[in-house]
């Protein structure tokens, strides 16, 4: 459809692909082509497409009850919250429909904690360059990226950005009005940039010393993506508050804000709310996602497959040093930094019927469903290798010319 007749906001530069259905890690277009999906709905389709357990859970719930509102008790919420608490640092959970809303809840929870702790003056949050926290007015201010802030009026007050990874800069940015520190353990949209475990430990110590809330944005890294239930386990550092979304719903719009009981103590009746968040459909799917991800051995398998994938990419880098500059990431959140524009790399892959997602810092992200098999990783490697060979031939032609 041409831009002119398209009734949609022009906010997305969409690829010319019309997907009709999905099966596991495969997407089938309206014209019958099959694509290997290593975009995974941007880290959302944690169990792939049309996973039978998710389809059954959603269908069964759809026939029974869709929505009642948070004026009433919702057993599925209590069950999912209890399971998230059991699997994490948290004691309390608030459900949302998206990542940005989970972040909004996290920011409000941190501010409110300071307010009820006798520090109403503490509302500022330290954030990091290259961060992405969503597209609401507060989360674009938290992310601090000019391209997302421009033209939308005054930036929401209360976010102080520093370079990613330097504890002295964080220390200098903390003042009497600081309520907390917000960080992605691995920046996803920013280009799969991992925070050093030591840096996260230093942030934890600084928060403890100054009475600040440590907030992790695990919207992209959480729920198995890095081979652990949450990425903070890799560093052994627990936050006070955590935002989750994307993979937790496996494709159903679902997010959650997790907190310790202490951190959540200001979030009393009437302070926050949502119409759709935590509705029975979302809870049925979220519980079904956890049935699979928390099953014995599942995350071991993810780590195993991820290692195979990463080792294969490392050997590809050795064979195509002219095309692959770097491979980085954790688990099945992997970034390949090409020496050609990332958009060109993604398009070349697409011609080989494989899908990947661009990210900042000229990175190509691979975010396959967590159920991807070793054979499917090998198939992906064939296609990535073919793309590299094509790009390499192209670049030697252009340098010969
Ligand atoms: C995607 C993402 C968000 C925003 O989530 P939405 O569901 O798009 O609102 C926030 N933080 C991180 C780290 C993300 O990857």
């Amino acid at each position: 459809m041409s831009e002119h007749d398209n009734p949609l906001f022009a906010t997305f530069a969409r690829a010319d692909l019309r997907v009709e259905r999905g099966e596991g890690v495969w997407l089938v277009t309206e014209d019958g082509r099959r694509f290997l999906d290593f975009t995974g709905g941007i880290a959302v389709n944690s169990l792939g497409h049309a996973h039978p357990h998710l389809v059954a859970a959603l269908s069964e719930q759809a026939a029974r009850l869709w929505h009642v509102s948070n004026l009433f008790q919702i057993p599925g919420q209590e069950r999912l919250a209890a399971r998230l608490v059991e699997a994490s640092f948290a004691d309390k959970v608030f459900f949302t429909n998206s990542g940005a809303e989970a972040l909004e809840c996290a920011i409000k929870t941190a501010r409110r904690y300071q307010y009820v702790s006798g520090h109403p003056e503490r509302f500022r949050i330290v954030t990091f360059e290259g961060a992405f926290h969503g597209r609401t007015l507060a989360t674009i201010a938290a992310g601090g990226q000019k391209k997302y802030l421009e033209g939308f009026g005054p930036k929401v007050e209360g976010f102080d950005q520093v370079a990613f990874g330097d504890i002295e800069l964080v220390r200098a940015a903390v003042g009497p009005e600081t309520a907390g520190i917000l960080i992605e353990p691995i920046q996803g949209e920013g280009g799969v940039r991992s925070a050093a475990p030591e840096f996260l430990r230093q942030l934890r110590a600084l928060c403890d010393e100054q009475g600040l809330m440590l907030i992790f944005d695990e919207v992209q890294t959480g729920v198995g993506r890095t081979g652990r239930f949450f990425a903070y386990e890799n560093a052994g550092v627990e936050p006070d508050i955590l935002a989750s979304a994307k993979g937790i719903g496996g494709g159903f719009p679902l997010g959650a804000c997790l907190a310790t009981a202490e951190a959540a103590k200001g979030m009393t009746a009437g302070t926050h709310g949502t119409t759709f968040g935590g509705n029975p459909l979302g809870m049925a799917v979220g519980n079904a996602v956890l049935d699979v991800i928390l099953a014995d051995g599942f995350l071991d398998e993810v780590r195993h497959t991820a290692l195979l994938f990463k080792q294969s990419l490392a050997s590809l880098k050795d064979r195509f040093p002219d095309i692959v500059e770097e491979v980085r990431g954790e688990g099945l959140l992997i970034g390949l930094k090409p020496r050609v524009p990332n958009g060109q790399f993604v398009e070349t892959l697409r011609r080989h019927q494989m899908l990947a997602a661009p990210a900042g810092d000229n990175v190509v992200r691979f975010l396959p469903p967590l159920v991807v098999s070793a054979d499917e990783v090998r198939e992906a490697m064939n296609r990535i290798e073919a793309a590299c060979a094509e790009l390499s031939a192209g670049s030697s032609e252009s340098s010969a010319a």
Side-chain angles (χ1 to χ4, degrees), residues 79-138:
R79 174 150 187 264
L80 184 53
R83 297 171 84 186
L84 290 170
V85 163
E86 168 74 23
S88 76
F89 74 99
D91 307 304
K92 296 279 183 188
V93 182
F94 183 93
F95 291 108
T96 68
N97 312 288
S98 68
E101 287 170 290
L103 263 303
E104 290 272 344
C105 180
I107 293 162
K108 288 177 76 174
T109 301
R111 288 181 173 184
R112 197 60 202 175
Y113 164 81
Q114 299 293 358
Y115 178 83
V116 299
S117 301
H119 291 292
E121 76 287 0
R122 293 190 180 181
F123 72 100
R124 308 191 71 83
I125 310 280
V126 177
T127 65
F128 295 90
E129 286 167 16
F132 182 79
H133 299 299
R135 298 298 199 111
T136 62
L137 289 168

Side-chain angles (χ1 to χ4, degrees), residues 265-284:
K265 71 182 180 184
M267 301 302 272
T268 49
T271 52
H272 192 50
T274 168
T275 297
F276 292 122
N279 94 355
L281 289 176
M283 296 302 97

Side-chain angles (χ1 to χ4, degrees), residues 27-309:
L27 288 174
V28 184
T29 54
E30 287 177 354
D31 56 10
R33 287 175 298 157
R34 291 171 66 82
F35 287 77
L36 190 55
D37 182 15
F38 273 45
T39 299
I42 316 184
V44 166
N45 298 104
S46 43
L47 303 187
H49 302 283
H51 190 288
H53 187 59
L54 299 196
V55 173
L58 184 63
S59 313
E60 192 271 335
Q61 186 63 49
R64 224 153 31 88
L65 180 70
W66 290 23
H67 182 85
V68 290
S69 90
N70 285 302
L71 294 175
F72 307 104
Q73 300 193 3
I74 299 176
Q77 275 190 23
E78 291 163 19
R79 174 150 187 264
L80 184 53
R83 297 171 84 186
L84 290 170
V85 163
E86 168 74 23
S88 76
F89 74 99
D91 307 304
K92 296 279 183 188
V93 182
F94 183 93
F95 291 108
T96 68
N97 312 288
S98 68
E101 287 170 290
L103 263 303
E104 290 272 344
C105 180
I107 293 162
K108 288 177 76 174
T109 301
R111 288 181 173 184
R112 197 60 202 175
Y113 164 81
Q114 299 293 358
Y115 178 83
V116 299
S117 301
H119 291 292
E121 76 287 0
R122 293 190 180 181
F123 72 100
R124 308 191 71 83
I125 310 280
V126 177
T127 65
F128 295 90
E129 286 167 16
F132 182 79
H133 299 299
R135 298 298 199 111
T136 62
L137 289 168
T139 55
I140 57 175
Q145 297 212 35
K146 223 177 171 167
K147 62 180 177 183
Y148 298 145
L149 285 160
E150 190 180 345
F152 294 116
K155 188 177 143 190
V156 169
E157 178 63 2
F159 298 95
D160 301 304
Q161 232 178 11
V162 300
F164 190 64
D166 185 334
I167 192 67
E168 287 317 315
L169 292 177
V170 180
R171 201 177 282 284
V174 168
E177 295 184 342
T178 303
I181 298 172
L182 167 61
I183 188 167
E184 296 156 86
I186 304 172
Q187 289 187 342
E189 302 300 313
V192 192
R193 297 201 304 159
S194 297
E198 179 58 18
F199 181 59
L200 296 178
R201 282 192 281 276
Q202 290 167 329
L203 292 179
R204 179 69 271 174
L206 181 61
C207 286
D208 291 343
E209 175 195 308
Q210 308 268 343
L212 308 177
M213 292 280 100
L214 182 59
I215 310 165
F216 285 167
D217 179 347
E218 291 229 29
V219 168
Q220 190 154 156
T221 53
V223 193
R225 178 55 49 189
T226 69
R228 304 282 169 196
F229 190 61
F230 285 118
Y232 71 75
E233 296 166 41
N234 290 310
V237 177
E238 294 188 344
D240 301 293
I241 303 170
L242 179 149
S244 179
K246 292 203 165 101
I248 195 174
F252 195 93
L254 176 59
C257 176
L258 281 62
T260 63
E262 176 69 5
K265 71 182 180 184
M267 301 302 272
T268 49
T271 52
H272 192 50
T274 168
T275 297
F276 292 122
N279 94 355
L281 289 176
M283 296 302 97
V285 179
N287 273 304
V289 167
L290 291 202
D291 289 343
V292 176
I293 288 181
L294 292 177
D296 266 354
F298 182 85
L299 290 174
D300 296 330
E301 196 59 38
V302 170
R303 288 196 294 276
H304 191 77
T305 315
L307 186 65
L308 166 72
F309 189 26

Side-chain angles (χ1 to χ4, degrees), residues 338-390:
R339 293 187 193 277
V340 297
N342 58 353
Q344 185 188 358
F345 197 99
V346 167
E347 265 174 44
T348 308
L349 275 177
R350 203 183 302 138
R351 277 203 306 282
H352 291 273
Q353 293 187 204
M354 173 167 172
L355 307 176
D361 196 27
N362 198 46
V363 161
V364 177
R365 257 177 311 171
F366 297 118
L367 303 157
L370 306 181
V371 295
V372 67
S373 69
D375 278 347
E376 287 158 341
V377 164
R378 284 183 206 104
E379 182 54 44
M381 287 310 304
N382 291 340
R383 294 174 193 223
I384 299 168
E385 177 152 1
C388 284
E390 190 180 317

